[in-house]
Amino acid sequence: AGVFAVPVGALDERGEGARVWRVRDGRIAPVPVQVLAVDGEVAQVAGALAPGERIVALGTHLLRDGMAVREQPR
């Protein structure tokens, strides 16, 4: 597991532990993470993510596994 900086809004905790939502091929899947630190708008997390992977940054409380999403241009 690597350590990554993610927006605080990307963290989702519904009583099952912290997770972020990874985007692959237009679908999302939860990835369990350990929150190491939170500083303002950024959280340091450890988990099974790879550098450059896309995650959902806002509205994570509305998501379900396998849900289709559309990425916003950067």
Side-chain angles (χ1 to χ4, degrees):
V3 175
F4 301 91
V6 300
V8 170
L11 295 176
D12 185 10
E13 211 295 324
R14 301 182 200 182
E16 302 168 6
R19 60 187 171 185
V20 297
W21 291 87
R22 174 180 17 224
V23 180
R24 282 192 181 158
D25 300 322
R27 300 259 175 212
I28 57 169
V31 178
V33 295
Q34 177 185 8
V35 179
L36 304 174
V38 177
D39 182 24
E41 297 179 10
V42 176
Q44 298 291 323
V45 300
L49 296 168
E53 280 194 299
R54 304 289 224 172
I55 62 169
V56 177
L58 293 171
T60 59
H61 64 287
L62 302 172
L63 304 178
R64 294 181 319 274
D65 192 11
M67 190 176 206
V69 294
R70 182 177 50 209
E71 291 185 58
Q72 294 294 317
R74 287 183 150 198

